[in-house]
Amino acid sequence: MSKTETTERDMAEAGDQLSTAPKEDLPGGGGPTLGVIGWIRWFWRQLTSMRVALILLFLLSLGAIPGSLIPQNSVDDLKVRTFKEQHEVLAPIYDRLQLFDVYSSVWFSAIYLLLFVSLIGCIVPRTWQFVGQLRGRPPAAPRRLTRLPAYATWRTGAPPEEVREAALAMLRKRRFRAHTAGDAVAAEKGYLREVGNLLFHIALIVMLVAFAVGQLFKSEGGKLIVEGGGFANALSQYDDFKSGSLFSTDELAPFSFTLNEFTGTYETSGPQRGTPRTFEADVTYSRGDGVRKRSVIRVNEPLEIDGSKVYLIAHGYAPVVTVKDAKGRAVFHGAVPLLPIDNNITSTGVIKVMDGYRDKSGKKVQLGFPAFFVPTYAGKGNGQMFSQFPALVQPALNLGAYQGDLRVDGGLPQNVYQLDTSKMKPFKDADGEIFKQTLAPGETMTLPGGAGSITFEKEIKEWASFQISQQPGSGLALAGAVAAIAGLAGSLFIQRRRVWVRAVRGDDGVTVVEMAGLGRSESAKLPEELADLAATLHSVAPTAPEAEAEEAPAEGAEK
């Protein structure tokens, strides 16, 4: 046998079972062809290999990208419809690829399930193998310790038995699993590396389960509430609502809340002028027991009620307006929420009068007023009508006016913040243009021809938009993420290594001590650790003087 083959055999013996990674059957070699069972076994081993698990994990991450960039039906139907209208060529392709429903698509589910099976198939055999290693003992020392990467030796006058006992006590004190095997002490340490590896993979399974539970049993809805308004956690109360396929409306927690006041403050000077400083929604809430309590909801500080979380996600202004007909009778009075279009809360929307208004001839007519609101108006002649600051410093409301049919009775869904003018006619001014006027709080716009008026009241309310969600798998996902980080840290920073200490009496009667170490991966710390162990053992079994070594009689010789 050549020197190279001997070295490889010694290294194989020393490193036996340092890893729980399954051994792969290598194809080729002129062996018999695989049958059906053989191919199934080969496919299973490939699927449960670490390489394939990493590939599937990468594909899952890659597949989640379009779910973040492309509007999803499960999140916002309106954005999906808008995207389809704006991209007539891409939309059919995305539909075929199920890119509007990424997380429930066939291809994403296939990757998800394959990864789940791969991780389970990878963990189970490795766990049993690791348990077997824990129940066993570190292997005996190789015949030639000099071939291992970390090695130390010296001669001592202490008896071999005493050296081995000292080495065994020292290694156990250093938390090595150690035992005496023949003329050497075998020890092993770093089992937490494999524990961390297994924990990381188990944590991935936990997060996959949490993701599945969250998708199947989740519920999420939005509600815009004007100051003074309220909300009860019932399906009919939501502006929009999405839930998992296994969610039941009976699982909605019984609670309600009222928005007492919204408070927003902003930086008034400097380069950060207009930057929000405070967003708070003062609410009064009640559980099913009827007891009312007060709380403050802030951004990233939701109100938690019986497993549901109420998040504050947006806010804006709701000018209070009064619409009167030609006879001066009020046909509409209320706060109308308008949607912000920039950081200074320049807002747009529509005031719709659907019932109660009649024209001069007594015919029922519907009115629509496109509205453009700015909380801080720069004044006429100072450029376009955009807000200069997000707080209510100098509010102004610009209104247009239309009459006709709002098309709200046709049964088709309609955006409440947009005006369908297909069956409406604008009021005209003296120049034949669409009648418009900019109002300050307290001012009134009189419609042409004595058709009535609309007043911008001095009261301006604020509104807040809330997201009410139930995520049953969030706690499980958090636990899985923390466990994954801990397991990954253990598998990266803990090294599995073995140490052997051999003590035998030489031909001249002096004890020869050999120490060697082997790690699962190369590391500069292993030689340092072996040097430290050797120094500790050397204090118990010091180097024999040269004279003593030369004059010591051979074992069995007469004195």
Side-chain angles (χ1 to χ4, degrees):
M1 184 178 294
S2 66
K3 182 177 180 181
T4 302
E5 291 174 343
T6 302
T7 302
E8 292 178 352
R9 185 185 65 184
D10 290 342
M11 292 291 288
E13 291 176 354
D16 183 36
Q17 294 185 344
L18 259 180
S19 171
T20 57
K23 298 178 181 179
E24 298 185 7
D25 293 339
L26 297 177
T33 57
L34 295 175
V36 176
I37 302 300
W39 277 110
I40 293 175
R41 185 182 293 113
W42 178 85
F43 176 79
W44 174 254
R45 287 179 177 171
Q46 295 303 310
L47 178 62
T48 57
S49 67
M50 185 62 61
R51 179 178 62 255
V52 172
L54 291 174
I55 292 174
L56 290 172
L57 187 61
F58 173 74
L59 290 177
L60 192 72
S61 304
L62 201 63
I65 294 177
S68 302
L69 300 179
I70 300 174
Q72 299 294 294
N73 284 316
S74 60
V75 177
D76 195 329
D77 289 332
L78 180 60
K79 285 187 177 180
V80 174
R81 290 198 298 268
T82 304
F83 184 91
K84 289 181 177 180
E85 292 173 357
Q86 296 175 348
H87 304 82
E88 296 180 357
V89 177
L90 282 178
I93 300 174
Y94 284 4
D95 255 333
R96 293 190 190 96
L97 296 176
Q98 298 179 297
L99 295 182
F100 295 116
D101 299 279
V102 168
Y103 302 111
S104 59
S105 64
V106 174
W107 55 269
F108 190 87
S109 299
I111 298 173
Y112 179 88
L113 292 175
L114 284 174
L115 177 60
F116 194 82
V117 173
S118 177
L119 289 173
I120 293 177
C122 180
I123 288 172
V124 172
R126 293 181 68 138
T127 301
W128 286 116
Q129 187 175 353
F130 182 59
V131 170
Q133 292 181 18
L134 290 176
R135 295 177 63 182
R137 290 185 169 187
R143 287 183 293 272
R144 297 186 181 183
L145 294 177
T146 55
R147 300 187 183 279
L148 299 185
Y151 176 79
T153 184
W154 70 93
R155 291 153 59 86
T156 181
E161 297 79 6
E162 183 180 328
V163 175
R164 288 194 289 268
E165 289 177 4
L168 183 63
M170 174 191 68
L171 290 169
R172 286 178 174 173
K173 187 177 181 180
R174 299 289 185 93
R175 290 179 296 181
F176 279 82
R177 293 178 65 237
H179 71 106
T180 301
D183 59 0
V185 175
E188 189 168 0
K189 191 177 183 181
Y191 288 92
L192 286 179
R193 177 189 179 94
E194 194 60 34
V195 172
N197 195 6
L198 293 174
L199 179 62
F200 174 74
H201 289 85
I202 293 173
L204 289 181
I205 293 179
V206 170
M207 287 192 288
L208 289 176
V209 171
F211 176 79
V213 171
Q215 290 297 312
L216 294 173
F217 295 96
K218 74 174 182 178
S219 70
E220 185 176 275
K223 180 65 177 179
L224 186 149
I225 304 175
V226 179
E227 289 176 330
F231 167 81
N233 194 26
L235 189 60
S236 59
Q237 291 280 302
Y238 285 92
D239 294 333
D240 57 84
F241 184 83
K242 299 294 181 182
S243 64
S245 57
L246 298 182
F247 178 82
S248 171
T249 53
D250 296 336
E251 299 175 19
L252 288 172
F255 69 87
S256 62
F257 67 90
T258 300
L259 176 61
N260 302 318
E261 182 183 12
F262 180 87
T263 303
T265 60
Y266 309 89
E267 188 67 43
T268 58
S269 61
Q272 299 295 319
R273 184 176 185 273
T275 302
R277 289 292 177 243
T278 303
F279 275 180
E280 296 181 349
D282 180 72
V283 299
T284 301
Y285 69 95
S286 172
R287 291 185 169 89
D289 54 11
V291 179
R292 298 179 65 81
K293 300 179 181 178
R294 297 195 70 166
S295 181
V296 176
I297 305 176
R298 300 180 179 88
V299 178
N300 297 325
E301 295 182 20
L303 172 65
E304 297 188 31
I305 309 175
D306 297 335
S308 297
K309 291 185 177 181
V310 183
Y311 293 90
L312 174 63
I313 58 175
H315 99 287
Y317 295 105
V320 178
V321 298
T322 301
V323 180
K324 296 181 180 181
D325 60 12
K327 296 181 179 180
R329 183 182 57 184
V331 295
F332 177 86
H333 176 80
V336 182
L338 303 178
L339 295 183
I341 60 174
D342 60 22
N343 293 332
N344 286 326
I345 318 186
T346 302
S347 307
T348 64
V350 179
I351 301 169
K352 298 181 181 181
V353 180
M354 294 177 281
D355 299 305
Y357 179 83
R358 294 177 183 270
D359 60 13
K360 290 183 178 181
S361 62
K363 181 181 177 181
K364 290 184 178 180
V365 178
Q366 294 177 331
L367 300 179
F369 300 91
F372 196 87
F373 175 79
V374 291
T376 302
Y377 183 38
K380 295 181 179 180
N382 293 315
Q384 294 182 337
M385 186 177 173
F386 283 92
S387 179
Q388 306 298 310
F389 192 72
L392 291 171
V393 177
Q394 187 178 345
L397 179 65
N398 181 272
L399 296 171
Y402 289 78
Q403 62 179 338
D405 182 8
L406 291 171
R407 304 191 68 182
V408 295
D409 302 322
L412 297 176
Q414 188 180 96
N415 192 331
V416 296
Y417 301 102
Q418 293 180 352
L419 180 65
D420 184 351
T421 60
S422 58
K423 290 191 176 182
M424 302 195 78
K425 295 181 179 180
F427 286 92
K428 300 292 184 68
D429 58 16
D431 298 327
E433 302 293 333
I434 297 176
F435 186 73
K436 292 182 179 180
Q437 189 172 338
T438 300
L439 305 176
E443 293 184 344
T444 299
M445 181 176 79
T446 302
L447 298 177
S453 65
I454 179 170
T455 301
F456 176 22
E457 305 291 350
K458 293 184 178 181
E459 180 184 12
I460 301 174
K461 294 187 176 182
E462 297 192 50
W463 58 260
S465 181
F466 299 91
Q467 177 180 292
I468 301 93
S469 63
Q470 285 183 264
Q471 293 285 350
S474 57
L476 194 63
L478 177 61
V482 173
I485 295 173
L488 185 61
S491 63
L492 290 177
F493 299 109
I494 298 175
Q495 185 182 26
R496 184 93 172 266
R497 65 272 195 198
R498 287 174 178 160
V499 173
W500 293 273
V501 181
R502 175 174 286 146
V504 295
R505 195 177 297 278
D507 295 337
D508 56 359
V510 179
T511 301
V512 178
V513 181
E514 289 183 291
M515 295 186 68
L518 177 66
R520 180 176 175 181
S521 58
E522 293 185 6
S523 173
K525 293 184 178 180
L526 180 62
E528 294 176 2
E529 184 176 28
L530 186 69
D532 182 48
L533 292 172
T536 303
L537 184 59
H538 187 271
S539 63
V540 179
T543 303
E546 290 297 329
E548 179 183 345
E550 292 175 359
E551 295 175 1
E555 186 177 2
E558 295 183 0
K559 293 185 180 179

